[in-house]
Amino acid sequence: MSSSRQKEQQQQQRRPGLQKQHASKADAAKAAVLAELRPGQSVELLKELHILTREGQLNQDSRRKLKQVYHLYQFIEPVLTELAANDHAPTLADHGAGKSYLGFILYDLFFKQLGRGEIFGIEWRGELVERSRDLAAQLAFDRMKFFNLSVAASTQSQELPERIDMITALHACDTATDDAIAFGLEKKARAMVLVPCCQAEVATCLRQGKALQLSRTPLAELWRHPIHTRELGSQITNVLRCLYLEASGYQVTVTELVGWEHSMKNELILARYTGQKKRSAAERLRAILAEFGLEQSLAHRFPQLPAADPDPAAH
């Protein structure tokens, strides 16, 4: 027998063993991926969201995305559980939804198993709304609805319920986070989960009055340089938002959304309604507006701010 014939026979003998070894490795890889998912989680959804590859695998980038989703879910799930008490059907509006990444994950992990409640995705780009509707139909996520609206316009929309339990706004740009807060107040939301994105409104106002403020107070040095103007504007914006929520009866927690290291916008504002409106928060909000010369330009952002006390010393 020729040597080439012998090699061919040896390869044929080894082939079943190699195939079995490859199958075993594939099964082990699949099991490892499933072990990282939550029980009952839709693999098909994760593929559609590009968290899993078409082969059902996790690469380094998608594994990081999955951890980010789970970390955010740790903040939201306990609040949803409270909202769903006593057989209540919780409602959630996701503002600036984009591809409704967050809404789909929340439905898959919580609402699907709960068997009641609705999620409303609000997004101004029509093509993304249509894509989300198609995906929800494909996955039979029947209690998800999507609206082609801006965050600001959604407050006046007759298509949405009068009351909504939870508001989420993940990286809603510039004043869209303020619009989401206004929506939450109008809908008497019991909880709001906000991760603000870029903010230009306050920085623009600070820039316009910079020369006057520099002559008026040494604090204006905090925003004399353009990069500091942008950073301080962002900081002031979120501080004002928190004070407004507290003045409107919410308990506010601000923390870092650990695990989103790839994003510079890493601040999570969690507000839960208690009904205890803090007068001191309203007073400090007004004081900050006055200190930075923002009364005229930003007063419209806080329409539900309680009236100023005419004689604070009387208390």
Side-chain angles (χ1 to χ4, degrees), residues 76-89:
I76 296 177
E77 189 269 341
V79 183
L80 285 174
T81 299
E82 289 182 20
L83 295 176
N86 302 317
D87 294 327
H88 178 65

Side-chain angles (χ1 to χ4, degrees), residues 150 174 204 218 289:
S150 69
D174 200 14
T204 300
L289 291 178

Side-chain angles (χ1 to χ4, degrees), residues 154-294:
S154 66
T155 304
Q156 306 302 324
S157 173
Q158 300 301 310
E159 298 178 278
L160 291 157
E162 290 184 9
R163 295 287 296 271
I164 292 180
D165 296 312
M166 177 180 279
I167 309 301
T168 58
L170 184 61
H171 294 155
C173 287
D174 200 14
T175 59
T177 298
D178 301 292
D179 294 333
I181 291 173
F183 178 94
L185 294 177
E186 181 68 25
K187 299 296 184 181
K188 297 179 172 57
R190 294 165 62 188
M192 301 192 211
V193 180
L194 312 167
V195 181
C197 193
C198 54
Q199 298 133 347
E201 187 177 37
V202 171
T204 300
C205 297
L206 291 175
R207 208 173 286 118
Q208 290 172 347
K210 187 178 296 186
L212 176 62
Q213 293 296 327
L214 278 168
S215 64
R216 188 179 74 86
T217 171
L219 285 177
E221 291 294 335
L222 294 174
W223 68 95
R224 178 160 64 93
H225 300 286
I227 188 172
H228 293 158
T229 305
R230 185 175 69 246
E231 291 173 352
L232 185 65
S234 176
Q235 180 77 355
I236 292 173
T237 299
N238 287 337
V239 168
L240 292 173
R241 288 166 174 167
C242 292
L243 288 171
Y244 187 40
L245 287 166
E246 289 178 335
S248 302
Y250 288 80
Q251 180 185 47
V252 177
T253 302
V254 183
T255 187
E256 185 180 28
L257 190 57
V258 179
W260 293 68
E261 294 86 353
H262 69 291
S263 174
M264 293 298 291
K265 303 302 179 184
N266 199 30
E267 184 172 337
L268 171 66
I269 300 172
L270 176 60
R272 302 172 76 166
Y273 188 73
T274 64
Q276 297 178 353
K277 299 182 178 182
K278 290 187 177 181
R279 187 177 62 214
S280 62
E283 291 170 353
R284 291 187 175 187
L285 191 157
R286 290 192 189 87
I288 291 173
L289 291 178
E291 182 64 34
F292 290 94
L294 300 171

Side-chain angles (χ1 to χ4, degrees), residues 41-178:
Q41 191 161 14
S42 170
V43 172
E44 183 182 357
L45 170 64
L46 295 180
K47 287 180 179 180
E48 292 293 338
L49 296 178
H50 305 294
I51 291 177
L52 292 180
T53 65
R54 287 298 171 191
E55 295 74 32
Q57 299 299 312
L58 279 167
N59 57 36
Q60 184 176 357
D61 182 59
S62 59
R63 181 172 279 106
R64 186 174 65 249
K65 287 181 181 178
L66 189 62
K67 288 181 179 178
Q68 293 162 4
V69 167
Y70 288 160
H71 191 80
L72 182 58
Y73 183 68
Q74 287 177 358
F75 290 102
I76 296 177
E77 189 269 341
V79 183
L80 285 174
T81 299
E82 289 182 20
L83 295 176
N86 302 317
D87 294 327
H88 178 65
T91 50
L92 182 149
D94 183 28
H95 284 285
K99 297 178 181 178
S100 292
Y101 189 96
L102 176 61
F104 277 114
I105 292 292
L106 290 176
Y107 191 97
D108 190 40
L109 291 179
F110 188 85
F111 284 79
K112 184 172 68 177
Q113 287 85 349
L114 185 66
R116 60 184 185 275
E118 293 180 287
I119 291 181
F120 306 101
I122 298 167
E123 170 57 44
W124 64 273
R125 288 166 290 185
E127 68 276 11
L128 297 184
V129 173
E130 289 302 320
R131 187 184 305 174
S132 294
R133 287 172 178 165
D134 291 343
L135 180 55
Q138 175 186 330
L139 297 170
F141 285 8
D142 300 327
R143 287 172 286 112
M144 290 191 78
K145 298 177 182 178
F146 303 92
F147 299 92
N148 185 194
L149 295 166
S150 69
V151 183
S154 66
T155 304
Q156 306 302 324
S157 173
Q158 300 301 310
E159 298 178 278
L160 291 157
E162 290 184 9
R163 295 287 296 271
I164 292 180
D165 296 312
M166 177 180 279
I167 309 301
T168 58
L170 184 61
H171 294 155
C173 287
D174 200 14
T175 59
T177 298
D178 301 292

Side-chain angles (χ1 to χ4, degrees), residues 3-20:
S3 59
S4 61
R5 177 64 176 166
Q6 287 177 331
K7 288 181 180 178
E8 184 178 346
Q9 287 181 343
Q10 290 172 352
Q11 288 175 350
Q12 289 176 348
Q13 291 171 355
R14 288 198 301 268
R15 191 168 292 126
L18 290 172
Q19 290 174 343
K20 186 176 180 180

